[in-house]
Amino acid sequence: LIEAAGGWLKIEALEQQHKENPAAKSLSPYSGWIEAKNAVFSGPREPDAVIKEKKAGLEDAAQTELSMGVKVKILAREKNSGLRVLLPGGESGVVSEKNVNYLPVKLPEDELRRKIIETARKFLGDKYYWGGRSGFAADCSGLVSLVYRAWGMDLPRNASDQFALSKSVPKESLKPADLVFSSEADHPKDMTHVMLYSGNGKLIEATRDTDSVREVSFKEKFGLDLARMKNGQAPNGKKIYFRRIIK
């Protein structure tokens, strides 16, 4: 919380890093205003688990579901594999252990990549929702941020900031869960879209093209097979960039 005024709170979203301007050399917390009625206060806590399913049922609490990506502090283990977790505002509830990943997530690289793609496929057919970053709805960068977060990796919220965090990779070295960015050809530094490479020349994206989350081939998306594409190429007026988060 930074300041309060007229029923509104100015906050910093500590887990949503971004570049304040194109010249910035580092990422900083995204800031903005929310209505005070939508906030509860909570003391500092170090989460030890994250919800990995799109929606996880929550028992013994006022709310009934938690979204993928919500991080929780485990208070106790209860019967039938239930975990009592601390919620914002000091309330607690019980979530099934099968719906969480313990933090930090430690998996071999190949398995981590496979899990990220499996998680992204759970959204296939969902409606595109601009600004969405939850198991209830997602846009392109929200989907990427969310599925990485479910497996213990926090990415920035927006495509341009995800691009800044990632590293260029040759097309020939693309692996599942690598990222593919696009920009308008006449504004090559302004990343407007991000997709997950899912393997075999295909992409998973939340897109306004079809107003949905879908898995398509490079040829269907850009008019060219992956084998004929390269970094910085501009098919159909879009510049394409191949990038990597997982080292």
Side-chain angles (χ1 to χ4, degrees), residues 5-236:
W8 291 79
L9 304 176
K10 187 174 184 181
I11 62 167
E12 284 188 337
L14 299 178
E15 295 177 350
Q16 294 187 31
Q17 303 286 309
H18 80 131
K19 275 193 173 185
E20 292 187 350
N21 59 70
K25 294 183 178 180
S26 60
L27 301 177
S28 57
Y30 187 90
S31 64
W33 291 85
I34 63 171
E35 289 189 86
K37 68 181 183 180
N38 293 327
V40 291
F41 289 88
S42 179
R45 59 184 175 87
E46 189 66 28
D48 41 30
V50 59
I51 302 298
K52 67 178 182 179
E53 297 299 326
K54 284 177 68 178
K55 302 168 189 175
L58 186 64
E59 299 179 358
D60 197 22
Q63 64 191 90
T64 59
E65 288 181 310
L66 293 177
S67 163
M68 177 185 291
V70 171
K71 291 184 179 181
V72 295
K73 178 69 178 178
I74 298 173
L75 300 176
R77 185 179 297 274
E78 305 211 346
K79 61 181 180 180
N80 299 324
S81 299
L83 300 173
R84 181 164 292 279
V85 299
L86 181 65
L87 304 173
E91 187 185 7
S92 70
V94 178
V95 65
S96 174
E97 186 175 22
K98 69 180 181 180
N99 291 329
V100 308
N101 275 326
Y102 291 100
L103 296 173
V105 175
K106 296 181 179 180
L107 291 174
E109 179 188 330
D110 288 348
E111 185 177 358
L112 175 61
R113 291 179 176 275
R114 179 173 57 82
K115 291 292 187 181
I116 288 172
I117 294 302
E118 286 177 357
T119 302
R121 286 186 172 130
K122 294 178 181 181
F123 289 81
L124 294 179
D126 284 6
K127 186 175 177 63
Y128 172 91
Y129 190 86
W130 186 82
R133 182 179 174 256
S134 76
F136 304 100
D139 63 9
C140 67
S141 55
L143 176 66
V144 169
S145 174
L146 196 60
V147 298
Y148 266 80
R149 184 177 171 89
W151 293 94
M153 300 181 68
D154 286 325
L155 273 60
R157 169 65 181 85
N158 297 325
S160 58
D161 298 315
Q162 292 172 2
F163 182 87
L165 184 68
S166 60
K167 302 296 183 183
S168 181
V169 62
K171 172 196 66 183
E172 294 76 16
S173 300
L174 274 178
K175 297 179 181 181
D178 282 342
L179 304 181
V180 180
F181 293 86
S182 68
S183 67
E184 299 299 326
D186 53 351
H187 293 90
K189 295 183 179 180
D190 182 14
M191 298 302 136
T192 57
H193 192 47
V194 60
M195 300 150 277
L196 288 149
Y197 179 62
S198 57
N200 300 315
K202 291 188 175 182
L203 302 159
I204 295 175
E205 61 170 354
T207 175
R208 286 176 170 168
D209 291 351
T210 57
D211 204 29
S212 67
V213 181
R214 64 176 184 170
E215 185 169 12
V216 295
S217 67
F218 272 83
K219 187 169 185 177
E220 184 177 353
K221 176 68 177 178
F222 298 111
L224 289 175
D225 291 327
L226 175 60
R228 298 176 59 194
M229 301 186 70
K230 60 184 179 181
N231 260 322
Q233 191 170 358
N236 297 332

